[in-house]
Amino acid sequence: MDLKPNHISPVITEPIPVKSRLGLPSNLMSYPPGIELNSTTSMLFNNIQRRKNVPSKLDELRAGGWLEAMIACSPPRKKQTKDSDDSYEQYLTWMMKYPSALTSFEQITAHAKGKRIALFLDYDGTLSPIVDNPENAIMTDEMRTSVKNVARYFPTAIISGRSRDKVFEFVKLTELYYAGSHGMDIMGPVRNNDSHGSHPNSIRTTDSQGKEVNLFQPASEFLPMIDEVFRTLIEKTKDIKGSSVENNKFCVSVHYRNVAVEDYGLVDQCVKEVLKNYPRLRLTSGRKVFEVRPTIDWNKGKAVEFLLESLDLSDCNDVLPIYVGDDRTDEDAFKVLRERKCGYGILVSSVRKDTDAFYSLRDPSEVMEFLKSLVKWV
Ligand SMILES: [Mg+2]
């Protein structure tokens, strides 16, 4: 695995998920492999074609600075379903490019015939709802049972931005593999002749069940720095009402979901000010959260590749990886699957977003339905 330091920008800028052109996309008719225009989508397409393009609210969002992006990055959840005819129509148009993994289930499973499915699941916003307090992002028992059932048939891993311990506390299933801190903390199986087993950042240890496992932590040298930044950010943001700082072991999250919009600038300013002193750390953005991470070339996409290799599942002829996630950071994994032409990314979103996924699901309840469908299909 390539672990080159990635000294791009010390204080960052990942683009925020705002689609810049939201009329009918010119590549509307380009579908993922195996997707055909069925009668429902045809009807939908014809309906949309009949109407004139109307500029959306997002069209008016200019490519401004961080602050504008902070406001725009996560539309209010209560207004997502049918804010207006226009946005709903544009969402449906988007859905034609990224069809529901439920209505496309047969196409997906047709590609899985004779192959082993490997399942990768994000946690927040995918298995649990996005909630005001990140500590309360609890998955339902029904979801837990669905994940447990699906893991009986397919190797299943959780890949989260949270610390590995924290996400395990939420999921509580020992039969899964876990990658925390955006893949920078992976507990996977031990293999004979494991090329990763001899990696300097990889150690053999035992899990909570006493089973021998391989622990891969490519950013271990950053631990003291991350801890220092965590404490500094707590101190600096203590007067910003509604902000919270979370230590995810190899990254620090600054949540501003509960901060008043007029104070977003303070959060932005504060985080950037602290980061100025840490050129080896970078800042990325998620759903109402800033994330401070080491500048190493490692992300959820690399974690997927690592796990596929660790699990002996990297042969595309025999394996169909499926990655389900809702966040900007999941795009790295979608991109890996798209570039390998192997497997499918499924974006969980009830609003249109730029994505490298092939399919979509609206929310965690549809994710659960998809997992149940996979179990029935086996
Ligand atoms: Mg998520």
Side-chain angles (χ1 to χ4, degrees):
M1 284 294 152
D2 185 10
L3 286 176
K4 293 190 297 289
N6 180 14
H7 298 290
I8 25 172
S9 142
V11 182
I12 58 10
T13 49
E14 264 193 10
I16 298 297
V18 176
K19 192 163 177 134
S20 57
R21 295 288 175 268
L22 297 163
L24 278 174
S26 59
N27 55 347
L28 188 63
M29 299 304 286
S30 74
Y31 293 94
I35 295 181
E36 290 161 13
L37 203 62
N38 60 29
S39 56
T40 314
T41 48
S42 286
M43 197 166 63
L44 180 62
F45 178 71
N46 290 334
N47 274 341
I48 291 163
Q49 285 282 53
R50 275 199 294 274
R51 297 203 194 181
K52 291 237 161 80
N53 284 350
V54 180
S56 77
K57 286 169 190 166
L58 289 180
D59 267 330
E60 292 160 18
L61 257 179
R62 290 167 305 282
W66 265 108
L67 187 58
E68 190 176 14
M70 286 171 77
I71 295 165
C73 77
S74 187
R77 278 167 284 139
K78 286 176 188 162
K79 293 184 179 173
Q80 282 175 3
T81 47
K82 201 159 182 178
D83 196 30
S84 68
D85 283 350
D86 292 342
S87 61
Y88 186 60
E89 179 181 287
Q90 283 160 351
Y91 174 69
L92 294 178
T93 308
W94 179 86
M95 283 279 287
M96 292 177 67
K97 197 173 172 194
Y98 306 100
S100 164
L102 290 172
T103 54
S104 306
F105 191 75
E106 282 180 22
Q107 282 105 325
I108 295 172
T109 49
H111 280 84
K113 269 205 181 109
K115 294 184 180 180
R116 206 168 167 206
I117 288 178
L119 202 52
F120 299 93
L121 304 167
D122 168 49
Y123 181 73
D124 290 88
T126 299
L127 300 181
S128 72
I130 296 289
V131 292
D132 287 343
N133 182 349
E135 294 297 312
N136 296 335
I138 292 164
M139 70 195 287
T140 62
D141 288 341
E142 194 181 0
M143 179 67 95
R144 184 172 294 102
T145 303
S146 302
V147 176
K148 189 181 174 71
N149 288 340
V150 90
R152 285 167 56 201
Y153 300 104
F154 314 115
T156 302
I158 306 285
I159 303 189
S160 171
R162 304 250 197 178
S163 75
R164 184 167 46 79
D165 289 345
K166 175 62 88 179
V167 82
F168 180 76
E169 266 177 43
F170 281 127
V171 180
K172 299 189 183 86
L173 293 172
T174 54
E175 51 270 72
L176 311 182
Y177 303 103
Y178 290 88
S181 309
H182 300 291
M184 286 184 281
D185 187 9
I186 303 176
M187 190 174 272
V190 168
R191 286 174 55 206
N192 291 331
N193 304 320
D194 188 347
S195 60
H196 299 298
S198 57
H199 194 284
N201 292 307
S202 188
I203 55 166
R204 288 193 180 194
T205 181
T206 50
D207 66 9
S208 55
Q209 314 296 304
K211 191 173 69 184
E212 200 182 9
V213 290
N214 189 33
L215 188 61
F216 182 66
Q217 298 180 330
S220 50
E221 65 173 301
F222 286 87
L223 276 176
M225 191 187 291
I226 291 285
D227 200 48
E228 187 180 292
V229 165
F230 169 64
R231 284 183 278 110
T232 308
L233 282 169
I234 285 190
E235 176 61 27
K236 299 279 185 188
T237 59
K238 69 179 182 195
D239 295 327
I240 305 176
K241 199 175 169 202
S243 69
S244 67
V245 186
E246 186 180 10
N247 188 341
N248 292 316
K249 195 162 182 173
F250 292 98
C251 58
V252 176
S253 301
V254 181
H255 300 275
Y256 57 90
R257 183 168 297 278
N258 297 324
V259 172
V261 176
E262 56 269 29
D263 288 341
Y264 280 7
L266 286 176
V267 181
D268 177 49
Q269 191 184 352
C270 181
V271 174
K272 282 182 183 170
E273 200 60 39
V274 171
L275 264 282
K276 270 184 189 163
N277 300 318
Y278 297 92
R280 296 185 70 208
L281 299 179
R282 66 188 171 119
L283 190 60
T284 60
S285 66
R287 290 173 69 172
K288 300 283 184 191
V289 63
F290 280 137
E291 289 176 314
V292 179
R293 301 202 246 169
T295 53
I296 61 165
D297 184 19
W298 195 264
N299 53 43
K300 288 183 170 185
K302 300 267 178 162
V304 166
E305 288 182 315
F306 180 89
L307 277 163
L308 285 171
E309 284 179 35
S310 302
L311 296 163
D312 208 8
L313 295 170
S314 50
D315 184 349
C316 289
N317 295 317
D318 300 328
V319 180
L320 186 82
I322 294 177
Y323 187 107
V324 190
D326 73 313
D327 208 299
R328 193 79 202 154
T329 58
D330 297 310
E331 291 295 331
D332 293 316
F334 297 152
K335 200 172 168 199
V336 160
L337 298 186
R338 193 177 270 274
E339 284 174 356
R340 287 165 61 113
K341 295 188 172 55
C342 179
Y344 297 115
I346 301 176
L347 175 67
V348 183
S349 180
S350 56
V351 294
R352 63 221 158 125
K353 285 181 185 174
D354 272 343
T355 181
D356 274 315
F358 275 106
Y359 296 101
S360 65
L361 291 167
R362 285 185 69 89
D363 52 30
S365 69
E366 285 200 358
V367 174
M368 188 166 71
E369 211 177 315
F370 179 74
L371 299 180
K372 286 179 177 176
S373 301
L374 281 175
V375 172
K376 276 189 210 150
W377 170 75
V378 174

